[in-house]
Amino acid sequence: MKQFVIAGNSAAGISAVEAIRTKDKESKIIVISDEDYPSYCRCLISYYLAGEVGEDKLLYRPENFYKDYNIELILNKKVLRVDPKKNRVILEDKTQLNFDYLLIATGASPKFPDIAGIKKRGVFGFRTIKDVKDIEKILPYTKTACVLGGGLIGLKVAYALHRRNIETKIIIKSRQVLSQILDFEAARFVQKKLEENGIEIIFGQDAVEIIGDGDTKAIKLESGKIIGCSLVIVGKGIIPNIDLVKETNIKFNEGIISNEYMQTNIPNIYTAGDVCESFDITLGTYAINALWPVAIEQGKVAGLNMAGESFKYEGSLGMNSLEFFGLAVVSLGMYRIKENDTSFEELKICDEKRNIYKKLILKNNLLVGGILIGDIRNSGLYLRLIKEKVDVSAIKEKLLAENFSYPVIKDLLKKEKEKIYV
Amino acid sequence: MKRLYYRIDKCLGCRSCEIACAVAHAGEETLFCAIKQKVLPRKKVYFFEGKNFPLSCLHCKEHPCVDACMAGALVYDKEKGLVIHNEERCVGCWICVMVCPYGAIRPDINRKIPVRCDKCKNKDEPACVKACPTTAILWQEEDFLLEVKK
């Protein structure tokens, strides 16, 4: 009988536990979380803030999950330190837990800009149920809110606050929304949708100060402009929670480095999810893809391997699906190429009247990424072509055609997973 | 565990299956109701290189949609070989559409919900099978494919 310790109770942690239990029903599994809740759907907290999803629906797994899977769950405790030499972890209350196998799936935390007043009451990150509950407390007194950052988190929060009838302004340093997943042209579609629905976006500006006497009263922008607001939400990216390995010989860069088995450089210590850097198949380098489905995939691979399998991870890639006021958006892998880089090929449809934008990026006849706006049908097929590295030279002109569908790619695929045509 | 198979040489592309699917998933199960409620068929027939290919959720044994669902709205029922979509929990984030390796989950943008084949779960046989005039749609046990190979 072995002892598995899982530091982290979200997507990667739960996925790993479920994978371990497919192979090993007996061994002891201890899951540790620094939050106060059983595993919940982190990506739904903006829907929760918007009032579209109740707290009961946030639960990711049924209430009896931990009992059914025979898991000891430790809540509200941070893992302070890993001791790889003695195979143990030390929790913040000095508890020590031994492990045969450890998974570090501690996730990430919001990155706060280093500006005056950032610690004032009324300034929040947006990552946890607790964040939502704290924001909720000051909503009754809030007329205007400012969201710093125009990434996925920023826009989702802005949407939620708008739904709660709060006047919402998004402050973005760059000249477009979603600059980490969309090109400028695609971002215009999303921007237009948000603005049409009453969300104000200020581009090319950073907040330089949060003004107020203890409580937030306003923010000051680079331009000197002051915007009155009692609520500021920061969506300026994340930092992987790697403090627990900083004084060990476990290798990390921005995140903890994993190999193709989701293993760190210490053989019995694995890592998965937002905290880890893994090989990105479209970038060809190590990267953090802090995304729910990626965390699930990685957790599963880690779990299987911790339970004795030798399962290789195909690598991660950036993939996002979102929706704002009826506009559906999908972004896969590489979404923008450097100007004048002729090693890539772009296929594109831009139809402003129908609110449709589609772009695919190819390199050496392989699909490496794309953006779909307004019409996201069959987007999974593009993801499959990217992941399976299918040579698409024979179907290039069909990729963005109206009748693009599974039969078009069927004969090009290397592996037929499920056969349905006879 | 029965699954849907298709005989491509028999499919005429008449789309009777699409209509039957929409009707079967309309409130009162009538054509009128399906049209009025703008019910999107969960099955679609694609035309490619002179042939017709009906397609709907394959209820894959490896099911990336279930894994990726960030709302916990999808569950795989191993015994029934069925991906069950809990519409109550679904928030319409389109992640399942983005990861479906067959493009078989259809986004119903108006209702803000993905639609997928449920094998007409409460009936003895899916509506598309009954509706097909040329018996191009087969409702068979899994080992049927082995027999075909022989």
Side-chain angles (χ1 to χ4, degrees):
Chain A
M1 214 170 87
K2 288 174 264 185
Q3 176 143 311
F4 295 96
V5 170
I6 315 288
N9 183 35
S10 196
I14 294 299
S15 171
V17 165
E18 290 179 340
I20 292 171
R21 282 290 182 242
T22 62
K23 301 283 161 197
D24 180 343
K25 304 261 188 274
E26 302 299 317
S27 291
K28 187 164 185 187
I29 300 180
I30 305 169
V31 173
I32 309 155
S33 168
D34 62 352
E35 290 188 63
D36 205 6
Y37 301 87
S39 191
Y40 61 91
C41 304
R42 194 174 298 288
C43 309
L44 294 199
I45 61 169
S46 66
Y47 297 80
Y48 176 44
L49 178 62
E52 292 171 349
V53 163
E55 193 172 340
D56 56 320
K57 293 218 178 82
L58 289 179
L59 216 56
Y60 181 52
R61 288 293 181 249
E63 252 171 88
N64 48 359
F65 172 81
Y66 297 93
K67 196 165 165 271
D68 289 351
Y69 276 74
N70 187 19
I71 296 160
E72 186 185 330
L73 176 64
I74 301 176
L75 289 178
N76 242 331
K77 278 188 191 135
K78 196 178 242 140
V79 178
L80 267 196
R81 203 152 54 79
V82 179
D83 185 345
K85 288 198 184 85
K86 291 184 177 151
N87 284 329
R88 63 180 182 188
V89 292
I90 296 110
L91 311 190
E92 58 187 337
D93 64 351
K94 305 282 187 286
T95 312
Q96 301 191 358
L97 295 170
N98 296 318
F99 60 81
D100 295 298
Y101 291 92
L102 169 68
L103 175 69
I104 304 173
T106 43
S109 302
K111 202 186 277 179
F112 287 90
D114 188 16
I115 56 172
I118 195 75
K119 296 249 156 70
K120 285 198 198 307
R121 282 191 295 274
V123 181
F124 300 95
F126 198 73
R127 175 92 188 167
T128 61
I129 290 188
K130 186 176 179 299
D131 290 332
V132 177
K133 293 200 163 168
D134 290 344
I135 291 166
E136 199 68 54
K137 280 181 209 149
I138 68 162
L139 274 194
Y141 319 103
T142 301
K143 190 176 155 281
T144 305
C146 284
V147 175
L148 309 186
L152 204 52
I153 296 292
L155 298 199
K156 284 180 88 171
V157 171
Y159 172 83
L161 290 171
H162 176 79
R163 287 291 305 249
R164 298 291 300 271
N165 295 319
I166 306 285
E167 185 188 19
T168 307
K169 298 171 197 285
I170 310 177
I171 321 292
I172 303 177
K173 177 67 185 167
S174 75
R175 61 187 191 124
Q176 69 162 90
V177 297
L178 298 170
S179 61
Q180 305 291 314
I181 61 170
L182 297 181
D183 62 18
F184 183 72
E185 214 177 344
R188 294 275 299 167
F189 285 83
V190 178
Q191 178 191 337
K192 206 175 116 206
K193 203 71 181 174
L194 295 171
E195 287 173 343
E196 273 171 10
N197 283 281
I199 294 175
E200 189 187 335
I201 310 177
I202 300 167
F203 290 100
Q205 288 289 317
D206 240 344
V208 290
E209 190 186 343
I210 313 279
I211 301 166
D213 188 17
D215 291 324
T216 298
K217 292 275 191 295
I219 63 165
K220 188 176 173 188
L221 303 184
E222 282 170 275
S223 62
K225 187 180 174 179
I226 289 170
I227 302 170
C229 60
S230 50
L231 175 61
V232 173
I233 297 181
V234 181
K236 305 280 273 179
I238 50 157
I239 314 170
N241 295 327
I242 59 169
D243 282 351
L244 72 171
V245 303
K246 277 197 171 153
E247 280 156 31
T248 70
N249 54 349
I250 296 170
K251 282 193 184 141
F252 62 89
N253 186 11
E254 198 188 335
I256 299 172
I257 315 271
S258 76
N259 66 12
E260 64 217 298
Y261 301 100
M262 300 318 297
Q263 202 172 23
T264 66
N265 57 311
I266 310 293
N268 64 336
I269 300 181
Y270 290 72
T271 184
D274 294 4
V275 73
C276 99
E277 272 183 42
S278 65
F279 190 74
D280 183 306
I281 55 172
T282 57
L283 300 177
T285 55
Y286 278 75
I288 299 172
N289 281 308
L291 302 164
W292 184 270
V294 171
I296 298 284
E297 285 174 0
Q298 294 178 339
K300 189 172 175 179
V301 174
L304 288 173
N305 291 333
M306 289 162 78
E309 292 280 304
S310 182
F311 194 89
K312 271 193 190 177
Y313 180 45
E314 58 190 356
S316 66
L317 79 158
M319 48 173 160
N320 284 282
S321 70
L322 38 143
E323 206 252 13
F324 294 106
F325 302 105
L327 184 71
V329 178
V330 163
S331 166
L332 302 168
M334 196 173 282
Y335 59 94
R336 177 163 52 199
I337 49 178
K338 278 188 200 130
E339 258 180 81
N340 305 322
D341 189 338
T342 52
S343 64
F344 293 95
E345 193 180 339
E346 255 187 24
L347 308 173
K348 197 160 86 177
I349 291 174
C350 183
D351 184 342
E352 297 211 15
K353 271 196 195 127
R354 288 167 63 215
N355 253 335
I356 288 175
Y357 178 85
K358 295 184 180 191
K359 182 177 89 169
L360 299 176
I361 299 178
L362 290 82
K363 185 171 192 172
N364 302 328
N365 292 320
L366 301 181
L367 193 60
V368 291
I371 297 170
L372 303 164
I373 290 183
D375 178 9
I376 58 157
R377 288 174 302 157
N378 286 308
S379 45
L381 298 180
Y382 300 118
L383 180 63
R384 187 166 179 186
L385 292 172
I386 296 171
K387 280 190 167 178
E388 295 184 18
K389 298 190 169 62
V390 176
D391 185 321
V392 294
S393 47
I395 54 162
K396 220 178 266 184
E397 74 285 2
K398 298 192 180 85
L399 284 172
L400 288 181
E402 185 56 33
N403 71 339
F404 178 70
S405 56
Y406 174 60
V408 179
I409 69 163
K410 187 170 81 66
D411 294 333
L412 300 174
L413 298 167
K414 288 158 199 156
K415 40 191 172 185
E416 176 85 312
K417 290 176 185 165
E418 309 264 343
K419 193 169 169 57
I420 50 166
Y421 298 123
V422 294
Chain B
M1 183 179 91
K2 284 190 171 177
R3 303 186 64 181
L4 290 164
Y5 296 97
Y6 309 95
R7 285 198 284 214
I8 296 309
D9 55 336
K10 289 211 164 194
C11 179
L12 303 173
C14 69
R15 299 179 189 267
S16 300
C17 54
E18 288 186 17
I19 294 169
C21 179
V23 171
H25 293 93
E28 290 162 17
E29 297 195 24
T30 61
L31 183 59
F32 179 74
C33 199
I35 294 169
K36 204 177 148 204
Q37 294 175 351
K38 292 186 181 159
V39 177
L40 203 62
R42 291 152 188 241
K43 172 170 242 101
K44 193 158 168 55
V45 183
Y46 292 102
F47 181 73
F48 181 61
E49 289 186 337
K51 290 180 190 147
N52 296 294
F53 296 87
L55 184 75
S56 56
C57 171
L58 282 70
H59 301 277
C60 306
K61 282 195 203 82
E62 277 176 47
H63 24 258
C65 56
V66 177
D67 292 344
C69 179
M70 62 174 206
L74 295 173
V75 178
Y76 184 69
D77 183 327
K78 214 171 168 182
E79 266 165 44
K80 291 182 185 151
L82 197 68
V83 174
I84 298 166
H85 179 206
N86 181 345
E87 297 196 5
E88 289 277 295
R89 288 192 67 122
C90 180
V91 295
C93 72
W94 310 128
I95 253 187
C96 54
V97 175
M98 179 178 76
V99 301
C100 175
Y102 296 90
I105 306 172
R106 307 187 66 199
D108 186 340
I109 301 280
N110 294 327
R111 284 175 59 227
K112 211 181 153 181
I113 203 161
V115 296
R116 66 193 306 152
C117 167
D118 58 359
K119 293 186 180 175
C120 289
K121 53 188 178 221
N122 301 322
K123 304 190 179 81
D124 54 341
E125 194 177 53
C128 56
V129 179
K130 276 190 194 139
C132 181
T134 65
T135 64
I137 308 180
L138 306 169
W139 177 235
Q140 292 283 354
E141 290 294 331
E142 249 188 308
D143 43 13
F144 156 76
L145 271 186
L146 298 171
E147 281 170 40
V148 172
K149 271 183 194 159
K150 279 179 205 165

